[in-house]
Amino acid sequence: MMTLPGEPVSLKPEPKNRHDANAIAVIGSRGVQIGYLSAERAPLIGARIGRGEEVSAVFQGLAGACAYIRVRFGGGMPTLPTKAPGSSSIDKPVADDPDGFYPDDDGPEWGA
């Protein structure tokens, strides 16, 4: 694995991406692209990046074939969630949301 949980990742908008003008690449701390933001969240996050909001992101982990990152706007680094009860790792989402998204305990709800 090229990126470990808690390592910073960068988000690079790709407005000239031939498949999706809203595409945002996720680049690991070693300079290797590890994927893209979901098509559902890329427009919202891209708009905030485009407005010049400060953004930081960290790699959270893997759940099956999906990688999860944590994003924070407005300064500071995102925090990794605590382990789910009975879980031995943070690789699996701890919330009931079907796509595995859940906000930081000390952050605003998604989209706020």
Side-chain angles (χ1 to χ4, degrees):
M1 189 156 94
M2 296 295 294
T3 306
L4 299 173
E7 288 186 335
V9 296
S10 58
L11 304 178
K12 180 184 173 196
E14 294 184 348
K16 294 183 180 180
N17 183 302
R18 64 184 171 137
H19 300 288
D20 182 358
N22 293 312
I24 298 179
V26 179
I27 311 296
S29 61
R30 292 167 187 80
V32 175
Q33 182 174 346
I34 60 175
Y36 285 93
L37 294 184
S38 70
E40 174 186 286
R41 293 200 170 92
L44 300 170
I45 291 174
R48 293 182 76 169
I49 291 171
R51 288 193 302 262
E53 289 189 50
E54 183 180 351
V55 62
S56 14
V58 296
F59 179 74
Q60 178 177 321
L62 296 172
C66 295
Y68 288 85
I69 65 168
R70 308 288 288 176
V71 177
R72 175 169 281 181
F73 289 94
M77 290 302 287
T79 56
L80 290 178
T82 56
K83 295 178 185 177
S87 172
S88 62
S89 76
I90 61 170
D91 290 347
K92 294 184 179 169
V94 296
D96 293 330
D97 190 325
D99 72 356
F101 174 76
Y102 46 97
D104 288 331
D105 292 336
D106 61 344
E109 293 294 323
W110 171 254

